[in-house]
């Protein structure tokens, strides 16, 4: 039987307390990962859903994202937040997906993706009047249309900022871009939204 | 600082702010509904059927190619057998023809002797037999016109 690895917590006074076995450390790590899955899964799913507009594909890629994260969990050093790390994995998965889709052009991978109008149907009523509801739906459809026309990188930055509420520094880390580039992408995307909204006024 | 204030601080246009807020609310609602929707196993069943169908197709193709190969092999063997029997018949015919030719043209037999000594030898023997029998027949049958001369010779011999 292999000797059991132990790590020992040492207090300031130098007295050793409660030795921790490798199994116990692994269990704690697994619990950590489970809690991270529980807390971040809906956000990752939401980001992937907004990026792809395909529920099944978003679910599949969410699973893949957490599978990859689990495999590399021991390499996660905590330089950024777990959420940023997971977002980075999710972004890479969407990139891979688009690349594969381009290569497999004969397959209709976007068959399950819903259209812009259908996506804009999802709007909570709140305490709006019917007129306000219609106006809000039109605005949402317009934003979807603009998001559809953005480049993949601009779209990712836009969704991370205005759907996921991520800070610029977090977006820069997740996308691997500089903060200046992120700002430039956001500025261009916002300019398009503004121009489209003014056009419909 | 609320999200609205944050957006307002970043974007000076209230209409854009409102549109982005509505957009986020819409995505949130859709995502929540999709995330908590009941899961069905229809796709998995379809997948199983597709898998079974593809396996059946693969098995069918494998069996077909195997049967084709076996049939081809059998067919080739049959053709080879027919060819061999044809060749044997041809060889026998050639042999018979050779023998026939040797018996009809004894002069040419000398050239063949080197190639087929037994057949030529046999043909030569047959020729000799034939000549011997012809000689004896000729010696025995004396034509009627020569009869007196023959008798006279016999008489002279006796004297």
């Amino acid at each position: 039987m292999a000797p059991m690895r132990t790590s020992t917590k040492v207090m300031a006074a130098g007295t050793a307390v409660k030795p921790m076995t490798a199994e116990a450390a692994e269990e704690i790590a697994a619990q950590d990962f489970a809690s991270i899955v529980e807390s971040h899964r809906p956000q990752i799913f939401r980001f992937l859903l907004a990026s792809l507009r395909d529920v099944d594909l978003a679910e599949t890629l969410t699973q893949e994202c957490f599978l990859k994260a689990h495999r590399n969990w021991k390499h996660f050093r905590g330089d950024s937040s777990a959420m940023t790390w997971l977002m980075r994995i999710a972004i890479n998965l969407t990139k891979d997906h688009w690349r594969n889709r381009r290569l497999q052009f004969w397959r209709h991978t976007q068959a399950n993706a819903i259209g812009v109008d259908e996506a804009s149907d999802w709007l909570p009523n709140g305490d709006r009047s019917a007129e306000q509801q219609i106006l809000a739906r039109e605005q949402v459809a317009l934003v979807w249309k603009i998001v559809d026309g953005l480049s993949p990188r601009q779209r990712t930055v836009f969704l991370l900022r205005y759907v996921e509420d991520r800070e610029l520094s977090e977006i820069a880390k997740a996308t691997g871009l500089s903060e200046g580039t992120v700002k430039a992408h956001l500025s261009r995307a916002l300019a398009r939204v503004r121009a489209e909204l003014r056009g419909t006024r | 600082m609320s999200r609205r204030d944050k957006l307002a601080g970043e974007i000076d246009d209230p209409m854009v702010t409102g549109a982005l807020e509505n957009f986020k609310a819409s995505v949130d609602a859709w995502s929540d509904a999709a995330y908590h929707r009941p899961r069905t196993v229809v796709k998995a069943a379809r997948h199983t059927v597709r898998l079974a169908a593809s396996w059946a197709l693969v098995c069918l193709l494998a069996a077909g190619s195997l049967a084709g190969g076996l049939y081809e092999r059998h067919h080739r063997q049959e053709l080879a057998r027919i060819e061999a029997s044809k060749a044997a018949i041809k060889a026998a015919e050639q042999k018979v023809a050779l023998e026939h030719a040797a018996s009809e043209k004894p002069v040419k037999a000398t050239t063949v002797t080197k190639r087929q000594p037994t057949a030529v030898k046999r043909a030569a023997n047959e020729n000799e037999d034939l000549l011997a029998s012809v000689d004896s027949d000729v010696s025995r049958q004396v034509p009627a016109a020569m009869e007196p001369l023959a008798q006279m010779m016999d008489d002279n011999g006796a004297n």
Side-chain angles (χ1 to χ4, degrees), chain A residues 91-143:
Chain A
I91 290 165
N92 286 335
L93 282 171
T94 48
K95 275 184 195 168
D96 288 348
H97 167 73
W98 291 119
R99 198 177 300 133
N100 290 342
R101 193 173 162 258
R102 220 179 303 141
L103 287 174
Q104 299 176 352
F105 54 89
W106 63 91
R107 290 175 72 176
H108 296 281
T109 48
Q110 222 182 352
N112 292 332
I114 65 164
V116 167
D117 293 334
E118 209 180 329
S120 57
D121 283 348
W122 295 94
L123 195 64
N125 281 331
D127 47 0
R128 294 185 182 117
S129 64
E131 196 183 344
Q132 284 173 328
Q133 187 76 13
I134 291 168
L135 194 68
R137 193 163 290 174
E138 278 179 3
Q139 283 182 340
V140 172
L142 197 69
V143 177

Side-chain angles (χ1 to χ4, degrees), chain A residues 122 128 161-163 165, chain B residues 3 10 15 22 24 26:
Chain A
W122 295 94
R128 294 185 182 117
R161 181 70 184 135
Y162 297 116
V163 175
D165 278 338
Chain B
R3 187 174 188 276
E10 195 176 313
M15 196 172 190
N22 286 332
K24 180 175 167 44
S26 166

